[in-house]
């Protein structure tokens, strides 16, 4: 299995994770384009999940699985639904890179327009409300109380992110694309005052959650790789980039919204404001910021697939390349709507 040293990893699992019985099957979980994720099934059919970094071309600040393990361990103490952290391996001789193991949680990943069909029309609103309610719960977690007060600086979130992602752009870009730099300049000119601090997931959407399609409830929030401390409206703005209002146009390829029954993004924003009491009047800026950042992430994903770091040759590179361009344009368009 690509990315797994079967003998050494199996030995580590037996020695470090209670209740697992070899031999193991390692089944890649498709859909993720950051850390590599596997469902590990033992000889009794019991499953856990293993995550490790990509195989190559990893930027210094990216794909820190130890940090991700720390986060889900801490968030697991709250009412925010996350998989249970089971074990962390920092010994690179076991599998050439660190990895961690977490519990397997039942639920559907709603990560495409077609996945909307997994929910009845009536449950689509319920699932959307659960999604925003979980986000509101996350943003009200006592970060010191769960041991994440030292995860990152608490102030200057947007400034920090602009610095980080502009550096990532310079390191991972595969071509010149001035729209990204232009959007960055405009964002720097319009940075709002940060109103509070919270855990920021960094990539919050249906596609990074598990949903119980029988009830519409979110059963787990996944993919904490980009999590930090900062401005909670960044998560809401990010959700606005991937969200498609029903009937407004073609939905994004990795999101179910846009189908009948889902609420509009304005309704999502209003529910979030009601649940948290936060001022959301400048959400257009945060949507622009999220689109700009996603453009850079998209370029990094494109570069990793281009150079073979993700171990998958059956990906449409043109779609990934175009994603960077579409997102940069979205950022510029959203900035034109932001109050000045």
């Amino acid at each position: 299995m690509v990315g797994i040293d079967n003998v050494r990893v199996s030995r580590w699992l037996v020695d470090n994770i209670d209740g697992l019985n070899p031999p193991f099957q390692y089944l890649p979980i498709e859909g993720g384009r950051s850390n590599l994720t596997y469902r590990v099934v033992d000889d009794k059919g019991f499953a856990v999940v293993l995550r490790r970094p990509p195989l190559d071309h990893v930027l210094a600040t990216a794909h820190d699985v130890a940090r991700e393990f720390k986060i889900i361990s801490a968030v697991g103490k709250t009412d925010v639904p996350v998989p249970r952290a089971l074990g962390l391996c920092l010994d690179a001789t076991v599998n050439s890179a660190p990895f961690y193991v977490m519990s397997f949680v039942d639920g559907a990943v709603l990560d495409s327009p077609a996945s909307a069909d997994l929910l009845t029309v009536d449950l689509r609103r319920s699932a959307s409300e659960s999604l925003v309610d979980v986000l509101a719960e996350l943003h009200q977690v006592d970060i010191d109380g769960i041991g994440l007060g030292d995860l990152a600086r608490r102030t200057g979130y947007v400034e920090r992110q602009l610095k980080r992602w502009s550096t990532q752009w310079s390191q991972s870009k595969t071509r010149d694309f001035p729209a990204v730099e232009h959007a960055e300049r405009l964002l720097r000119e319009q940075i709002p005052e940060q109103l509070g601090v919270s855990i920021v997931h960094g990539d919050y959407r249906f596609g990074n959650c598990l949903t119980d399609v029988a009830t519409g409830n979110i059963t787990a929030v996944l993919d904490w790789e980009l999590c930090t401390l900062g401005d909670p409206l960044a998560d809401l703005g990010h959700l606005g980039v991937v969200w498609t209002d029903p009937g407004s146009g073609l939905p994004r390829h990795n999101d179910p919204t846009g189908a009948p029954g889902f609420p509009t993004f304005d309704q999502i924003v209003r529910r979030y404001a009601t649940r948290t009491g936060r001022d959301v009047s400048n959400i257009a800026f945060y949507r622009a910021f999220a689109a700009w950042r996603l453009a850079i992430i998209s370029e990094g994903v494109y570069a990793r697939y281009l150079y073979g770091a993700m171990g998958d040759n059956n990906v449409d590179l043109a779609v990934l390349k175009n994603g960077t361009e579409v997102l940069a344009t979205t950022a510029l368009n959203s900035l034109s709507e932001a109050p000045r």
Side-chain angles (χ1 to χ4, degrees):
M1 173 59 61
V2 175
I4 296 291
D5 184 316
N6 197 320
V7 173
R8 292 181 178 179
V9 172
S10 295
R11 186 182 304 122
W12 186 92
L13 290 172
V14 170
D15 291 343
N16 292 277
I17 307 298
D18 291 339
L20 291 184
N21 299 288
F24 302 110
Q25 297 180 67
Y26 297 93
L27 309 172
I29 296 177
E30 304 296 336
R33 291 176 175 173
S34 51
N35 286 322
L36 302 178
T37 307
Y38 307 83
R39 183 180 181 184
V40 183
V41 183
D42 76 358
D43 71 336
K44 304 294 185 183
F46 183 75
V48 295
V49 174
L50 184 151
R51 274 170 69 82
R52 59 147 296 161
L55 304 179
D56 201 357
H57 293 275
V58 179
L59 299 175
T61 59
H63 314 291
D64 186 343
V65 294
R67 184 175 185 272
E68 190 172 341
F69 182 81
K70 173 183 177 179
I71 291 166
I72 67 166
S73 298
V75 176
K77 303 172 186 176
T78 75
D79 291 333
V80 177
V82 292
R84 187 161 51 94
L86 299 177
L88 171 68
C89 178
L90 297 176
D91 182 356
T93 65
V94 175
N95 198 42
S96 77
F99 63 88
Y100 75 88
V101 178
M102 59 185 172
S103 64
F104 179 84
V105 179
D106 286 324
V109 178
L110 306 179
D111 60 354
S112 69
S115 67
D117 292 338
L118 296 173
L119 293 166
T120 64
V121 172
D122 290 342
L123 280 180
R124 291 171 188 173
R125 176 172 291 276
S126 298
S128 302
E129 291 174 349
S130 179
L131 185 74
V132 72
D133 290 351
V134 168
L135 182 63
E137 184 71 31
L138 174 66
H139 289 166
Q140 296 181 83
V141 166
D142 179 352
I143 56 178
D144 294 309
I146 64 170
L148 289 182
D150 62 349
L151 185 67
R153 284 176 49 198
R154 305 183 187 212
T155 58
Y157 171 79
V158 174
E159 292 93 335
R160 287 189 282 120
Q161 290 285 299
L162 287 169
K163 179 179 180 180
R164 174 188 176 182
W165 291 105
S166 61
T167 299
Q168 300 285 60
W169 173 253
S170 66
Q171 293 178 354
S172 63
K173 66 179 180 179
T174 63
R175 64 284 179 45
D176 290 327
F177 189 56
V180 173
E181 287 89 352
H182 181 45
E184 179 193 342
R185 289 193 296 272
L186 294 177
L187 286 166
R188 290 187 184 278
E189 292 172 2
Q190 300 180 40
I191 297 174
E193 179 185 357
Q194 180 174 318
L195 302 177
V197 61
S198 74
I199 298 171
V200 177
H201 178 275
D203 193 11
Y204 192 79
R205 54 189 172 89
F206 271 121
N208 279 334
C209 293
L210 294 170
T211 303
D212 183 341
V213 296
T215 66
N217 292 328
I218 300 300
T219 58
V221 182
L222 310 174
D223 290 353
W224 294 84
E225 178 183 349
L226 298 174
C227 179
T228 188
L229 303 181
D231 194 325
L233 292 184
D235 274 338
L236 189 61
H238 176 90
L239 193 57
V241 175
V242 301
W243 203 271
T244 303
D245 288 351
S248 67
L250 293 174
R252 285 178 56 85
H253 72 280
N254 62 349
D255 189 76
T257 59
F262 286 101
T264 66
F265 181 62
D266 283 346
Q267 290 171 323
I268 290 294
V269 171
R270 287 198 295 271
R271 185 176 181 92
Y272 177 88
T274 299
R275 291 297 300 268
T276 64
R278 290 193 171 93
D279 179 4
V280 296
S281 59
N282 199 12
I283 195 62
F285 172 88
Y286 292 95
R287 288 180 73 177
F289 165 71
W292 172 81
R293 194 189 65 152
L294 280 171
I296 296 169
I297 292 172
S298 177
E299 183 74 0
V301 172
Y302 169 63
R304 291 198 296 275
Y305 275 104
L306 185 66
Y307 301 133
M310 296 302 289
D312 187 341
N313 296 319
N314 298 313
V315 173
D316 189 337
L317 292 178
V319 171
L320 293 177
K321 183 178 181 181
N322 184 60
T324 301
E325 299 165 6
V326 170
L327 287 162
T329 301
T330 299
L332 292 172
N333 291 339
S334 295
L335 282 166
S336 68
E337 302 171 5
R340 296 172 183 260

